[in-house]
Amino acid sequence: MKINEARVWLKENRCEEMFSKIYGDGASAQKERYLGALDSFEALFGSEKEISIFSAPGRTEIGGNHTDHNGGRVLAGSVDFDVIAVVAQEEGSVVHVHSQGFSPDTVDLSDLAIDEKNFGKSAALIRGVAKGFLDRGFSVGGFTAYTESNVPKGSGVSSSAAFEVLLGSIFNHLYNHGKIEAVEIAKISQFAEREYFGKPCGLMDQAASAVGGISMMDFADEKNPVITPIPFSFAESGHKLCLVKLGGDHANLTHLYAAIPERMKTVARLFGKEKLCQISFRELLADLPRVRAQAGDDAALSAIPFCLDTDRVVEQAKALQDGDFPRFLTLVNRSGQSSFQALGNVWIPMEGADQGAAVALNLASNLLDGAGACRIHGGGFGGTTQNFVPVEMLDAFKSAIEQVFGEGSCHVLNIRPYGGVCVDKLV
């Protein structure tokens, strides 16, 4: 379709039902956002090109904490914060991407060599995703795109994975008839981030963004994770999912994040295993004196919550499948207590450090007063907290949180049922 056809499609509300599925109660704001993206594309590239519209979501980790990197399980979901793109297929091998607020990227796909000088840049991801497609025997080609994102930076919902999955969705639909499986796009995206962007990462972020909805992911075989969709509507749970962005500076805390998986692997090696997923909690408990003596209490306190949380994910998934949301909330709180008390990724063990995560969780626990649930989100040590808030308590909760952490710090999310998609194909 052309730009003007897309405008009519939006203005006549032909996309209303589809937007409601993707964005939940935030759907009403999306029409103007998409119209603005069409205007920006037209200003850059004219109105005569045949276009398609794409969306790829951020993600949230719902269950499991520091479990995926040792072959454990995670419960993850795609959220209604997303990156959208207006795209036109082009002859040849050149990709032009103009992203709102950033310098434009131009990449010739005939040269896909890794360049360490481009680590951390979006152009590197374009090259990496294209190389991943070609290495797997898929097709790529040129396109022109305007993109914009409402994924808040530093909110823990993985803007880089959303951008990678967006690129994969574009190549998939423009050059591969949309036939490539979502998990394959996730693996390609992870490859791009690791090899071309220079950022070691697991597969959870990309898989959650690509697959969509809620999924239980088992990473015992990292190259072929078992991803099980969990049918559940958070919209009908009577609760809202809130991420609180804490705003601390964590640039010097990489060593704290890195120490947790290494301590887990140290314990695994004591049992003659490579990863902690290869031993059970019962085995760990039976040999805990030796673990403490040979690996130390820090390692023991990392291993215990891993074993409990990776099993807890199965319980959480079952609770959602059974429609037992109170049980699910109980398990979220147990996961949060485990991270706080044993894993130790809430407090920052440095004098004078910003302890915003501990403050936010204590505040949330008192505000919720036995209702809902709260826990650290993602890697921890600040960043964001995750809260399940009863709808009738949402306004008071949000107001109290933002009084402490600033306006806009409490993000209310919806779980969307779609991963990376060509939006106009959904209508």
Side-chain angles (χ1 to χ4, degrees):
M1 61 181 171
K2 299 284 182 70
I3 289 280
N4 285 333
E5 291 175 299
R7 285 198 183 99
V8 170
W9 173 67
L10 288 162
K11 288 178 179 178
E12 292 185 353
N13 293 322
R14 298 181 199 170
C15 54
E16 191 169 7
E17 183 179 349
M18 177 265 295
F19 275 177
S20 292
K21 289 180 180 177
I22 296 179
Y23 300 105
D25 52 15
S28 59
Q30 295 302 319
K31 183 167 74 171
E32 292 305 318
R33 180 180 176 223
Y34 276 70
L35 286 169
L38 291 172
D39 291 343
S40 295
F41 182 94
E42 183 179 35
L44 289 164
F45 308 116
S47 61
E48 296 307 310
K49 295 180 183 292
E50 289 286 331
I51 63 159
S52 294
I53 303 173
F54 292 85
S55 163
R59 67 96 184 105
T60 184
E61 170 199 271
I62 300 169
N65 194 224
H66 278 280
T67 48
D68 58 317
H69 51 58
N70 262 259
R73 303 181 190 92
V74 173
L75 195 66
S78 56
V79 299
D80 55 346
F81 286 137
D82 64 347
V83 187
I84 64 171
V86 181
V87 182
Q89 187 172 355
E90 304 285 1
E91 295 289 333
S93 61
V94 177
V95 170
H96 300 280
V97 177
H98 288 243
S99 296
Q100 183 185 44
F102 295 91
S103 300
D105 291 309
T106 299
V107 173
D108 191 331
L109 303 182
S110 64
D111 177 14
L112 296 178
I114 295 174
D115 184 353
E116 292 187 7
K117 290 183 290 187
N118 282 323
F119 277 6
K121 298 180 180 178
S122 54
L125 292 176
I126 298 170
R127 285 192 174 86
V129 171
K131 184 66 162 65
F133 266 68
L134 291 173
D135 285 352
R136 288 161 176 77
F138 302 136
S139 299
V140 298
F143 65 83
T144 297
Y146 171 81
T147 82
E148 68 167 69
S149 173
N150 65 2
V151 180
K153 298 292 182 185
S155 61
V157 296
S158 197
S159 56
S160 59
F163 185 69
E164 294 151 13
V165 170
L166 180 80
L167 294 169
S169 299
I170 293 169
F171 283 131
N172 185 21
H173 285 275
L174 295 188
Y175 291 100
N176 297 276
H177 308 290
K179 293 182 178 179
I180 302 173
E181 295 289 335
V183 174
E184 198 68 27
I185 291 176
K187 291 177 182 178
I188 291 169
S189 299
Q190 181 199 33
F191 163 81
E193 186 154 338
R194 281 182 169 181
E195 304 300 326
Y196 280 74
F197 199 67
K199 181 182 175 183
C201 65
L203 187 61
M204 178 185 69
D205 293 355
Q206 291 82 3
S209 178
V211 172
I214 303 169
S215 296
M216 182 171 66
M217 305 179 186
D218 188 331
F219 292 100
D221 181 353
E222 186 182 4
K223 292 184 178 179
N224 297 287
V226 178
I227 298 178
T228 306
I230 306 298
F232 182 80
S233 173
F234 266 105
E236 298 173 10
S237 71
H239 289 70
K240 285 295 184 182
L241 173 58
C242 299
L243 294 188
V244 176
K245 181 180 174 183
L246 303 169
D249 181 8
H250 308 290
N252 62 339
L253 303 182
T254 302
H255 64 291
L256 297 178
Y257 292 96
I260 291 175
E262 188 49 45
R263 288 197 292 261
M264 291 177 178
K265 288 174 183 176
T266 297
V267 174
R269 287 193 288 269
L270 289 181
F271 289 82
K273 306 296 183 181
E274 181 184 354
K275 295 179 180 179
L276 208 49
C277 67
Q278 296 167 302
I279 65 171
S280 68
F281 180 62
R282 186 182 295 251
E283 291 173 299
L284 175 66
L285 205 59
D287 219 359
L288 197 58
R290 182 172 72 96
V291 171
R292 294 185 66 201
Q294 296 185 18
D297 280 347
D298 283 346
L301 286 169
S302 294
I304 291 169
F306 172 91
C307 291
L308 291 173
D309 233 23
T310 194
D311 290 343
R312 192 178 285 120
V313 164
V314 178
E315 294 182 66
Q316 287 177 294
K318 185 177 187 309
L320 292 178
Q321 287 173 316
D322 292 346
D324 189 350
F325 202 67
R327 173 66 177 161
F328 169 79
L329 292 175
T330 297
L331 293 166
V332 172
N333 278 323
R334 287 182 184 172
S335 176
Q337 291 159 5
S338 179
S339 294
F340 215 142
Q341 296 169 359
L343 191 58
N345 63 335
V346 175
W347 288 98
I348 299 172
M350 297 166 60
E351 189 173 348
D354 181 339
Q355 305 293 355
V359 173
L361 289 170
N362 274 282
L363 177 58
S365 181
N366 280 281
L367 290 168
L368 293 171
D369 193 23
C374 61
R375 68 169 204 151
I376 195 70
H377 183 249
F381 301 110
T384 56
T385 63
Q386 183 182 73
N387 308 268
F388 294 88
V389 182
V391 171
E392 64 272 15
M393 301 174 70
L394 180 63
D395 290 344
F397 180 89
K398 191 172 187 292
S399 176
I401 289 290
E402 294 192 342
Q403 234 181 343
V404 177
F405 293 98
E407 187 176 351
S409 58
C410 184
H411 300 290
V412 182
L413 309 180
N414 294 293
I415 301 293
R416 69 183 240 175
Y418 300 109
V421 289
C422 182
V423 174
D424 46 283
K425 293 282 196 302
L426 294 177
V427 179

